[in-house]
Amino acid sequence: MQKLFNAPLYAQIREEIFAALRSGRWSANDPLPSETKLASEFSVSQGTIRKAIDDLVAQNILYRHQGRGTFIRRHDEQQSLFRFFNLSRTDGTKPVPESLNIHCKTRKGLKHECLALQVPTGDRLIEVLRLRRLDGQPVILETILVSQQRFPELNKRDLPNTLYELYSDDYNVHITRAEEQIQATLPDATVISHLNLEPTIPLLEIRRIAFDLHDQPVELRISQCVTGSFVYTCSLN
Amino acid sequence: MQKLFNAPLYAQIREEIFAALRSGRWSANDPLPSETKLASEFSVSQGTIRKAIDDLVAQNILYRHQGRGTFIRRHDEQQSLFRFFNLSRTDGTKPVPESLNIHCKTRKGLKHECLALQVPTGDRLIEVLRLRRLDGQPVILETILVSQQRFPELNKRDLPNTLYELYSDDYNVHITRAEEQIQATLPDATVISHLNLEPTIPLLEIRRIAFDLHDQPVELRISQCVTGSFVYTCSLN
DNA sequence: TCATATAATTCATATATAAGACTTAGATGA
DNA sequence: TCATCTAAGTCTTATATATGAATTATATGA
């Protein structure tokens, strides 16, 4: 393989592999071709393939298992419950969140919602409202918004606790990263009734936008959280 | 270099380099010995040294500059203001935080404070109270707590905007990472007066513990933030 | 059924070469 | 004489490849 432009070889290969990944060339269940196979396909050495894959592993898009192969990172039940869930007990341990769906309907998106999802203003969205319990206590009221066009019939399905697994399995939409914005708010009437709160209790409002393999915003999720026994945790490096 | 136990060579080298780093063997201003020099010192190949350093770079403990060398990551004015600062404008851009010191005194630590800092209960702490402005508005009231024993005379100094730089330059304490816990609260009298608030405005309370090279907790910092024009942001991968 | 061999994978290490960045000697000119 | 530019040399990290080891799953046979 010749070196083009000024980008190092491994970076070019990384982009080619990533592009192949996005195009759905390999199933999310089977391993990728082995490093040696990819090496001969791209006509570079195994070490170069390895370095390319290193980057994708660092981005959490792939993971490796010595002796078995390299796989696409999926949101499966076990890890998905924790990977994108930053609420923990005050001692740092993480509770297992449970979900209770309250409703699931379609409606026209508001301006700021459509902007966040990068769909035309006024497009129809699917709204899921659900209550989440931690250690048995109702702690979070969660509003989930996705494009109806992108997730047809989602509102007619049985929604599992881990939605990202459903997106991946049934819609071929793979969530790779998310951005969260956090504010302090006071609860509105809906939150007060579902979480059974005093109106003066301050809440954490988490606004999350989740992105897919193409780095397109796919889901807007607004969570209202009571933070008595639980705290939002974040590591800085 | 012989391989001991089952740990790969590069991992052993990484730990040795890290230990040397902690012991203060190299100045924080000069580059480390070159990869080839380290290679001959440890009797391994340059590639193995490189892989060891890769890990330390990934941990943000070192950084590299092609052609110049490998350096210890310091908290200098430019980056330090942003690196450990997660508040941004709602559009995602980051304001430059300013600081106004309100007081700096010593007192006996409370139980939870000493626990967080891993010092004996009742040890004397230095408390810095300061107001931080973003875009000219008073937004954060910050209480900073460190061990007096660890930072002698800190209360008699002129405190800069970026404390971590001071810790590093004057006390040889290098902050490498931090953990933040976030809750929603209502302001107490002190906060109300300094931030000029209505008592019913909910606040973000950020409790940060900062760790040094030895992974010892060094500083406890509790920030009370108004989140009207600003939000706490966090990326999930 | 269990141990063992075998074939597949990724992982670890060493070597060689490329590319970037400072240093310094020397030329140039005012 | 002094300041300034230039280019070569030598330092640095970055990239690419080759070889063998470690790990895992599977097939094989007693």
Side-chain angles (χ1 to χ4, degrees), chain A residues 8-10 44-48 51 66-68:
Chain A
L9 198 46
Y10 77 88
V44 298
S45 75
Q46 176 262 344
T48 302
K51 189 150 189 193
Q66 185 173 356
R68 296 213 289 127

Side-chain angles (χ1 to χ4, degrees), chain A residues 77-226:
Chain A
E77 177 75 25
Q78 293 95 33
Q79 47 179 323
S80 193
L81 274 173
F82 301 106
R83 183 169 156 210
F84 278 7
F85 195 78
N86 277 349
L87 281 195
S88 61
R89 302 190 186 92
T90 47
D91 64 4
T93 60
K94 288 203 170 185
V96 179
E98 303 168 83
S99 296
L100 176 66
N101 291 324
I102 295 170
H103 74 233
C104 179
K105 62 182 186 186
T106 77
R107 63 169 172 84
K108 265 176 64 173
L110 301 176
K111 191 173 173 191
H112 83 271
E113 295 164 347
C114 294
L115 202 64
L117 291 172
Q118 286 183 27
V119 297
T121 309
D123 254 27
R124 288 200 77 77
L125 304 182
I126 297 174
E127 174 189 290
V128 180
L129 183 68
R130 62 181 189 176
L131 177 72
R132 306 201 82 169
R133 290 178 207 273
L134 306 180
D135 293 340
Q137 304 172 356
V139 171
I140 310 171
L141 189 68
E142 200 170 60
T143 306
I144 297 164
L145 294 163
V146 295
S147 155
Q148 185 178 29
Q149 194 180 354
R150 185 141 197 177
F151 294 93
E153 312 288 309
L154 179 71
N155 49 322
K156 292 173 186 158
R157 280 175 200 276
D158 208 25
L159 298 179
N161 196 358
T162 53
L163 274 181
Y164 293 172
E165 199 182 357
L166 175 71
Y167 295 168
S168 162
D169 290 350
D170 293 3
Y171 294 97
N172 201 35
V173 169
H174 304 275
I175 303 297
T176 55
R177 67 178 193 91
E179 297 280 345
E180 294 195 328
Q181 293 193 338
I182 301 166
Q183 286 187 293
T185 62
L186 290 174
D188 61 20
T190 316
V191 179
I192 289 173
S193 69
H194 282 107
L195 292 185
N196 197 22
L197 291 176
E198 298 296 316
T200 55
I201 299 274
L203 295 182
L204 229 50
E205 177 177 291
I206 306 172
R207 178 190 156 95
R208 176 197 293 176
I209 300 176
F211 297 84
D212 69 0
L213 270 177
H214 303 83
D215 218 37
Q216 293 293 310
V218 166
E219 182 206 68
L220 172 63
R221 180 180 297 208
I222 296 170
S223 306
Q224 315 272 133
C225 314
V226 187

Side-chain angles (χ1 to χ4, degrees), chain A residues 2-18:
Chain A
Q2 288 289 318
K3 190 171 162 175
L4 300 173
F5 311 112
N6 276 332
L9 198 46
Y10 77 88
Q12 297 175 48
I13 303 284
R14 177 193 61 220
E15 292 311 312
E16 292 197 49
I17 292 177
F18 191 26

Side-chain angles (χ1 to χ4, degrees), chain B residues 36-95:
Chain B
T36 31
K37 282 208 191 81
L38 288 170
S40 71
E41 175 181 340
F42 289 107
S43 306
V44 297
S45 75
Q46 178 253 352
T48 301
I49 293 290
R50 190 166 175 74
K51 193 155 184 187
I53 292 179
D54 276 347
D55 287 358
L56 297 171
V57 168
Q59 284 179 63
N60 241 312
I61 290 166
L62 300 176
Y63 69 95
R64 292 195 265 225
H65 202 313
Q66 184 173 358
R68 297 215 284 127
T70 301
F71 303 82
I72 300 176
R73 171 74 73 192
R74 295 176 67 255
H75 284 267
D76 48 10
E77 175 76 26
Q78 293 93 35
Q79 47 181 322
S80 192
L81 274 173
F82 301 107
R83 182 168 157 211
F84 278 8
F85 195 79
N86 277 350
L87 281 194
S88 62
R89 303 190 185 90
T90 48
D91 64 5
T93 60
K94 288 204 171 185

